[in-house]
Amino acid sequence: FPSHDNDFVNNMTHELKTPISTISLASQMLSDKESPMANKNLDHLASVIADESKRLSYQVEKVLQMSIFDKGKMNLRLKEIDANELITTVVRNTLIQIKNKNGTIVKNLDAVEAVILADEVHFTNVLFNLLDNGIKYSKGSPDITLSTSNRDNNLVITVADKGIGIPKEHQARIFEQFYRVPTGNVHNVKGFGLGLSYVKKIIEAHNGKIYLESELNKGTTFSIFIPLKRS
Ligand code: ADP
């Protein structure tokens, strides 16, 4: 990682240290012999540990994903995937998080031809990264819409939010590794600036393209174009 990039190092340190200290706090509480068992909310502590370790491994996974790219090797395991089905699953797994923030998530699966050749793991990560950003960069409760459609010989997937938006002057750079819109920190949203560069690389490895439309304080829409298999 670029050692001169203090913001990046600060963000990464924050993202990794917070779950570690939460987990260690929870384990201290569990092993504190002074406090009677009845006072310990075991279920709560267990779920805190589970959530925080998930978060930790997700962050580590992100860094690993990028280090794989940097070595220049990428093996896609392509298989036929129904994007409508994949999105249905992804939405189902995000529902708790969205409901927890009183948000909504809507899907419009209009694509009639939704089967693409894709790497399931990487493609799922792409959708989660975009969804995650839609949630992270919403001001209040997130309102996310996922859509599929067919255009020319492409499957089009859009992920739209009604969040903080991205100022015009930053839009060209957000797919760069480590790039973050400066206000990201003002809104106290922590991140590495890795998610979108990963997304773009994966989409391009699938011969696809990704575009964004965004307006400050109105929201952001990412559109992914993936060529359909010709038979
Ligand atoms: P991270 O979220 O970890 O900073 P990303 O590469 O996923 O990294 O995003 C890069 C930057 O683009 C973010 O820091 C944020 O400023 C901006 N951004 C990404 N997605 C959105 C979105 N849906 N709404 C507003 N800003 C966004």
Side-chain angles (χ1 to χ4, degrees):
F1 299 114
S3 56
H4 57 274
D5 192 337
N6 269 324
D7 278 354
F8 173 72
V9 174
N10 286 341
N11 277 326
M12 181 165 74
T13 308
H14 173 88
E15 291 223 22
L16 297 177
K17 277 183 111 172
T18 309
I20 291 171
S21 58
T22 310
I23 290 169
S24 101
L25 204 65
S27 78
Q28 271 174 41
M29 289 169 79
L30 282 171
S31 61
D32 182 2
K33 304 278 185 305
E34 305 284 275
S35 93
M37 219 45 186
N39 288 344
K40 292 179 184 169
N41 192 335
L42 282 182
D43 285 345
H44 176 66
L45 289 178
S47 75
V48 165
I49 292 172
D51 288 350
E52 292 300 283
S53 15
K54 209 190 281 168
R55 192 165 119 195
L56 197 53
S57 59
Y58 181 70
Q59 299 302 354
V60 170
E61 189 58 36
K62 259 196 191 170
V63 175
L64 284 178
Q65 284 168 3
M66 291 323 287
S67 72
I68 289 166
F69 276 129
D70 289 344
K71 291 201 193 77
K73 284 209 189 82
M74 235 224 325
N75 289 316
L76 291 184
R77 292 163 187 251
L78 297 178
K79 64 171 191 179
E80 292 196 353
I81 288 177
D82 185 319
N84 288 344
E85 280 173 20
L86 184 64
I87 287 173
T88 304
T89 308
V90 166
V91 167
R92 198 188 306 128
N93 293 341
T94 318
L95 213 54
I96 300 179
Q97 211 187 329
I98 302 257
K99 280 200 175 144
N100 189 36
K101 301 192 162 175
N102 297 317
T104 58
I105 184 159
V106 175
K107 35 176 188 146
N108 296 321
L109 306 178
D110 296 332
V112 179
E113 290 189 58
V115 177
I116 51 170
L117 270 183
D119 181 303
E120 190 169 23
V121 173
H122 285 302
F123 211 80
T124 307
N125 282 341
V126 162
L127 295 178
F128 271 119
N129 279 347
L130 292 177
L131 262 173
D132 226 43
N133 281 349
I135 298 169
K136 275 203 312 195
Y137 300 107
S138 288
K139 262 168 303 189
S141 42
D143 287 314
I144 316 275
T145 306
L146 277 131
S147 318
T148 63
S149 59
N150 288 121
R151 203 177 311 166
D152 304 323
N153 203 39
N154 293 292
L155 171 75
V156 185
I157 300 174
T158 65
V159 181
D161 65 57
K162 294 182 181 155
I164 64 175
I166 301 165
K168 283 276 176 290
E169 63 270 30
H170 294 284
Q171 290 180 7
R173 297 197 62 191
I174 58 160
F175 293 104
E176 287 173 22
Q177 211 170 344
F178 306 118
Y179 191 80
R180 309 191 74 219
V181 175
T183 52
N185 287 335
V186 174
H187 289 94
N188 203 25
V189 178
K190 299 292 178 186
F192 298 141
L194 291 176
L196 287 180
S197 65
Y198 170 76
V199 164
K200 186 159 194 251
K201 280 173 180 162
I202 291 295
I203 295 306
E204 287 176 351
H206 285 81
N207 300 317
K209 291 206 157 71
I210 180 160
Y211 304 98
L212 92 135
E213 272 172 274
S214 186
E215 203 175 328
L216 204 57
N217 299 319
K218 292 251 170 74
T220 304
T221 301
F222 287 94
S223 304
I224 295 170
F225 285 65
I226 301 286
L228 289 166
K229 312 188 289 151
R230 289 173 198 269
S231 43

